[in-house]
Amino acid sequence: MQCPTMDLTNVDLGDLRAQRLSLTPPHIIECAAAGEGGSQEACHLPRKKRYAAVGQKGITLWMTGLSGSGKSTIAKALEEELVLRHGKHVYRLDGDNIRTGLNRVCTTLLTDR
């Protein structure tokens, strides 16, 4: 699979997104039970049930900083501490995960972004 090439100089991202979504089948993130413009909560496991099942509440920790400043190193150490010493359910999503996973077919060229 290859990322499409396009001229991005005069692109309205909202229109582009609507156009692309209209050409594809429903995505996992879309929820038929929610209806047009409705809350996505109808299609998700309620928070209280999720928290009770896994024995913890969820949080997002968003780390920002310059390239090479140690964000991934700190995140990896924190993940290890939380999982191994405290038994917490953790998922670390960083630039490396994105580059080698979700966007592995795209290059670093502007046209692939």
Side-chain angles (χ1 to χ4, degrees):
M1 183 169 100
Q2 187 174 358
C3 293
T5 302
M6 57 188 336
D7 177 16
L8 299 175
T9 53
N10 293 312
V11 172
D12 180 320
L13 292 179
D15 288 344
L16 178 63
R17 180 179 184 278
Q19 176 192 14
R20 297 289 183 186
L21 286 174
S22 72
L23 300 174
T24 61
H27 300 283
I28 293 172
I29 62 170
E30 295 175 352
C31 173
E36 183 80 23
S39 170
Q40 297 294 303
E41 287 294 319
C43 296
H44 295 282
L45 182 63
R47 287 182 184 153
K48 286 184 179 182
K49 284 186 179 180
R50 177 181 302 277
Y51 296 163
V54 298
Q56 69 184 49
K57 290 185 175 184
I59 67 160
T60 299
L61 175 63
W62 192 290
M63 297 173 61
T64 62
L66 296 173
S67 179
S69 64
K71 297 177 301 293
S72 292
T73 303
I74 293 168
K76 184 177 178 185
L78 179 59
E79 176 186 32
E80 189 171 313
E81 179 77 13
L82 290 171
V83 172
L84 299 179
R85 292 195 61 193
H86 299 281
K88 298 297 181 184
H89 300 274
V90 175
Y91 186 80
R92 178 175 38 95
L93 181 63
D94 64 15
D96 293 335
N97 298 94
I98 299 296
R99 283 186 292 279
T100 61
L102 295 173
N103 291 342
R104 67 184 169 278
V105 298
C106 295
T107 69
T108 56
L109 298 175
L110 182 59
T111 55
D112 283 350
R113 294 181 184 188

